[in-house]
């Protein structure tokens, strides 16, 4: 950032974080440390905070989520401030392989495309965990060998000891219950006096885990040994607490943190844990991303969560697991940290392998291409199939097609074979968008050209960040309602 403001004092810096909670944390931190001393202005752009266009134009630093910046930068021709960006910092860029990865991929590709069209330079900085194919990612970001730093997992401010424990049992809830006593023993063994975070998969599990830990505390000589406050102080805290289950657990020095609690209750737990007034915090995985609360010991109680889409229990992404165990270690207090991972016994060897090795990041843009192609058609960037293929050549997908063709189902990894695969992908995408009434497609067989143009519905979908399937439902259902009336 210092470089960007020194070399391009009138241009903007964009910082993209994957969660609103991370955005708010960065706004609070930089608002205090940067804006005053540097004399710079800062704005937050998320689904909760939408500054007016003038505030964005006047801002020097924009802190935003991927979806918000994607939506804003789609109309870069009409928004001059998007063209005035000199530095883009993307936090957690290894999420490129996840569900929201295509948005990050499109953002970087679009910023590079804007730089090429306006003959200006945009510097991209990606922050990530250790990767097996970091060189591929760096090439796509336009980073030379000098600018690539890829450290092993073992390189940390505080050395981390990881223990992986396997638990038998087919059924989820009994297996989770069987982990509570080992979790308590782990606390007594590794961190009898120091802070502990226990990550669980759901709000219900935070409550059930807290109840079992309280029962185990009751068997000790001092049942409240996790509480480091006097009676008057804890009584004052409990009076300000809304949730009855949280009031019970706090009285034993055990906090809970999940989205079902009020913001006031979450803030109380965060502050008490930060001030070391309570020793244990039981939280869902969102705490690992959203709030910077490190601990001496982290216990990951189960690596599965219930997924409503698939109607069953699925594994946490490895990125989430790494993020959670990464909360172990407080540089200013600890010379070592401990992480205990409780898994199904059949997955013990899997986690032993992947937690100690870098993993490759693949693209998932080909699975979510429709909305992004529609946005570029609506913005005028893509007017033909050839334009779409050229647009895709800016993406990370294009590079990985050459490096790992079997993962994407490409039989011929030559340039000609990759272009044929992309052409087929584009034509199929155009067809689905046309059926959704978002674009019109014209085949000129004489010239061998496929032209595409946006429809009013396609422009609405792009402007309001809607799926093409949503627009298809609107078009068919509203038409039938109109006829019925």
């Amino acid at each position: 950032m210092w470089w960007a403001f020194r070399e391009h004092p009138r241009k903007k810096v964009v910082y993209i974080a994957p969660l609103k909670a991370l955005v708010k944390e960065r706004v609070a931190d930089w608002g205090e440390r940067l804006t005053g001393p540097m004399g710079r202005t800062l704005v937050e752009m998320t689904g909760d905070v939408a500054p007016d266009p003038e505030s964005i134009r006047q801002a020097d630093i924009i802190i935003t989520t991927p979806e918000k910046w994607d939506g804003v930068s789609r109309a870069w021709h009409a928004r001059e401030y998007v063209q005035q960006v000199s530095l883009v910092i993307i936090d957690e860029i290894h999420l490129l392989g996840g569900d929201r990865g295509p948005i990050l991929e499109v953002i970087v590709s679009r910023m590079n495309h804007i730089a090429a069209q306006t003959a200006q330079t945009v510097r991209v900085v990606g922050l990530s965990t250790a990767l097996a194919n970091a060189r591929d990612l760096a090439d796509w970001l336009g980073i030379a060998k000098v600018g690539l730093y890829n450290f092993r997992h073992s390189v940390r401010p505080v050395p981390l000891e990881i223990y992986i424990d396997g638990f038998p049992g087919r059924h989820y809830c009994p297996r989770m219950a069987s982990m509570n006593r080992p979790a308590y023993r782990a606390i007594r063994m590794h961190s009898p006096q120091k802070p502990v975070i226990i990550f669980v998969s759901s709000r219900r599990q935070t409550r059930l885990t807290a109840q079992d830990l309280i029962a185990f505390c009751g068997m000790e000589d001092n049942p409240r040994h996790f509480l480091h406050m006097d009676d008057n102080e804890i009584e004052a805290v409990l009076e300000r607490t809304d949730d009855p289950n949280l009031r019970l657990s706090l009285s034993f020095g055990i906090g809970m943190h999940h989205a079902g609690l009020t913001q006031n209750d979450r803030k109380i737990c965060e502050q008490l844990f930060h001030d070391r007034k309570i020793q244990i915090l039981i939280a869902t995985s969102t705490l690992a991303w959203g709030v910077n609360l490190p601990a001496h010991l982290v216990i990951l109680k189960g690596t599965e969560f219930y997924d409503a889409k698939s109607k069953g229990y699925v594994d946490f992404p490895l990125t989430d697991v790494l993020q959670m165990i990464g909360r172990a270690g407080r540089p200013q207090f600890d010379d070592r940290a401990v992480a205990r991972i409780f898994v199904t016994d059949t997955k013990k060897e899997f986690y032993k392998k992947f937690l100690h090795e870098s993993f490759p990041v693949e693209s998932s843009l080909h699975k979510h291409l429709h909305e992004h192609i529609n946005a570029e058609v609506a913005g005028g960037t893509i007017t033909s199939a050839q334009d779409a293929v050229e647009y895709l050549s800016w993406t990370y997908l294009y590079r990985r097609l050459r490096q790992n063709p079997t993962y994407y189902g490409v039989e011929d990894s030559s340039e000609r074979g990759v272009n044929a695969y992309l052409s087929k992908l584009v034509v199929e995408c155009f067809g689905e968008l046309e059926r959704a009434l978002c674009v019109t497609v014209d085949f000129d067989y004489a010239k061998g050209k496929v032209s595409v143009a946006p429809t009013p519905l396609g422009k609405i979908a792009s402007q309001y960040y809607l799926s093409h399937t949503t627009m298809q439902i609107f078009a068919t259902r509203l038409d039938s309602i109109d006829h019925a009336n």
Side-chain angles (χ1 to χ4, degrees):
M1 286 176 62
W2 296 107
W3 171 88
F5 288 132
R6 185 184 71 244
E7 298 294 324
H8 309 282
R10 296 184 178 276
K11 293 197 173 182
K12 303 182 188 304
V13 171
V14 176
Y15 182 94
I16 299 172
L19 293 177
K20 288 187 287 186
L22 279 176
V23 169
K24 291 184 183 301
E25 182 184 320
R26 193 60 57 232
V27 167
D29 183 30
W30 288 3
E32 181 181 331
R33 293 167 55 194
L34 293 182
T35 55
M38 292 176 67
R40 300 286 177 176
T41 54
L42 178 151
V43 294
E44 173 186 349
M45 283 175 56
T46 63
D48 296 339
V49 181
D52 61 90
E54 185 58 32
S55 298
I56 302 172
R57 277 194 289 271
Q58 296 298 324
D60 300 302
I61 305 169
I62 300 170
I63 304 179
T64 181
T65 53
E67 289 82 0
K68 201 68 179 176
W69 188 250
D70 181 27
V72 165
S73 62
R74 285 178 175 183
W76 65 272
H77 294 282
R79 292 180 172 131
E80 192 178 344
Y81 59 83
V82 177
Q83 303 172 36
Q84 294 175 342
V85 173
S86 64
L87 173 64
V88 179
I89 304 170
I90 303 176
D91 202 358
E92 314 292 353
I93 200 169
H94 55 268
L95 295 176
L96 206 63
D99 291 339
R100 299 163 74 199
I103 301 170
L104 292 175
E105 192 168 341
V106 165
I107 286 171
V108 174
S109 302
R110 186 179 295 130
M111 296 309 294
N112 287 333
H113 179 71
I114 292 169
Q117 293 295 313
T118 57
Q120 298 176 5
T121 56
V122 176
R123 188 176 188 180
V124 179
V125 175
L127 309 176
S128 165
T129 185
L131 299 173
N133 58 338
R135 184 69 261 166
D136 286 342
L137 195 59
D139 288 341
W140 171 60
L141 293 173
I143 296 168
K145 192 174 182 180
V146 177
L148 173 63
Y149 305 94
N150 190 31
F151 302 103
R152 300 186 307 276
H153 286 303
S154 57
V155 179
R156 316 177 76 248
V158 179
L160 177 64
E161 299 173 12
I162 301 175
Y163 300 89
I164 302 173
D165 302 87
F167 290 80
R170 287 182 57 198
H171 301 290
Y172 180 81
C173 290
R175 190 168 66 249
M176 291 299 107
S178 71
M179 295 177 181
N180 290 332
R181 187 177 292 277
Y184 185 78
R185 287 185 189 141
I187 295 168
R188 301 299 284 160
M189 180 191 301
H190 299 293
S191 189
Q193 300 294 328
K194 294 182 178 180
V196 179
I197 296 178
I198 302 176
F199 285 109
V200 295
S201 64
S202 66
R203 305 173 188 183
R204 181 171 180 267
Q205 282 297 324
T206 60
R207 187 180 73 252
L208 294 176
T209 304
Q211 288 171 354
D212 273 9
L213 292 182
I214 290 169
F216 299 139
C217 287
M219 300 176 190
E220 303 276 353
D221 293 336
N222 177 16
R224 300 194 174 191
H225 56 274
F226 293 140
L227 182 66
H228 307 297
M229 289 184 278
D230 58 39
D231 291 343
N232 292 333
E233 192 174 0
I234 186 61
E235 285 299 325
V237 169
L238 296 180
E239 285 179 8
R240 294 186 287 119
T241 307
D242 301 320
D243 188 86
N245 294 303
L246 181 59
R247 280 200 293 270
L248 173 64
S249 67
L250 282 177
S251 63
F252 286 87
I254 300 170
M256 295 190 291
H257 195 287
H258 57 75
L261 296 173
T262 62
Q263 186 172 4
N264 174 61
D265 282 358
R266 291 198 300 271
K267 287 289 183 187
I268 288 173
C269 287
E270 290 169 17
Q271 195 61 48
L272 291 175
F273 188 76
H274 179 270
D275 296 341
R276 303 177 74 178
K277 300 291 181 69
I278 59 174
Q279 190 178 331
I280 297 176
L281 187 61
I282 305 170
T284 51
S285 62
T286 50
L287 180 79
W289 294 99
V291 185
N292 186 19
L293 289 175
H296 176 72
L297 169 65
V298 166
I299 299 173
L300 181 47
K301 206 186 115 196
T303 55
E304 300 164 308
F305 69 99
Y306 184 81
D307 180 49
K309 286 183 181 178
S310 58
K311 298 181 180 179
Y313 289 96
V314 298
D315 289 321
F316 280 117
L318 275 174
T319 49
D320 283 18
V321 175
L322 291 170
Q323 189 75 15
M324 285 186 267
I325 65 175
R327 288 300 185 195
R330 303 166 301 157
Q332 63 271 51
F333 299 115
D334 297 328
D335 54 10
R336 57 179 283 274
V338 182
R340 292 287 292 266
I341 304 173
F342 295 170
V343 302
T344 311
D345 52 5
T346 56
K347 295 175 183 171
K348 188 174 178 180
E349 293 304 317
F350 169 83
Y351 280 100
K352 273 186 179 178
K353 176 179 173 60
F354 280 98
L355 287 179
H356 295 93
E357 293 183 10
S358 303
F359 61 94
V361 172
E362 298 292 350
S363 173
S364 56
L365 180 61
H366 58 298
K367 300 175 184 175
H368 307 272
L369 196 58
H370 307 84
E371 279 70 47
H372 303 295
I373 289 291
N374 180 63
E376 301 304 331
V377 172
T381 303
I382 293 175
T383 59
S384 67
Q386 182 61 35
D387 288 344
V389 172
E390 288 178 8
Y391 170 79
L392 290 175
S393 69
W394 290 88
T395 64
Y396 184 59
L397 170 67
Y398 183 77
R399 280 154 180 77
R400 291 308 296 165
L401 285 173
R402 300 288 296 276
Q403 299 294 329
N404 192 7
T406 53
Y407 179 84
Y408 302 93
V410 180
E411 296 178 1
D412 181 4
S413 61
S414 66
E415 187 171 349
R416 184 176 178 181
V418 169
N419 286 336
Y421 172 84
L422 290 177
S423 298
K424 181 184 175 185
L425 203 64
V426 164
V427 171
E428 289 175 354
C429 180
F430 281 177
E432 291 192 34
L433 289 174
E434 187 175 37
R435 284 190 290 276
L437 306 178
C438 290
V439 301
T440 57
V441 182
D442 179 40
F443 291 89
D444 188 339
Y445 294 102
K447 296 181 180 179
K449 185 178 179 182
V450 181
S451 301
V452 63
T455 65
L457 285 177
K459 290 181 177 180
I460 291 170
S462 174
Q463 183 174 351
Y464 293 101
Y465 219 80
L466 300 173
S467 166
H468 69 289
T469 53
T470 302
M471 301 314 297
Q472 187 174 16
I473 292 169
F474 282 170
T476 53
R477 298 283 173 86
L478 291 177
D479 188 50
S480 60
I481 291 170
D482 188 44
H483 285 304
N485 292 334

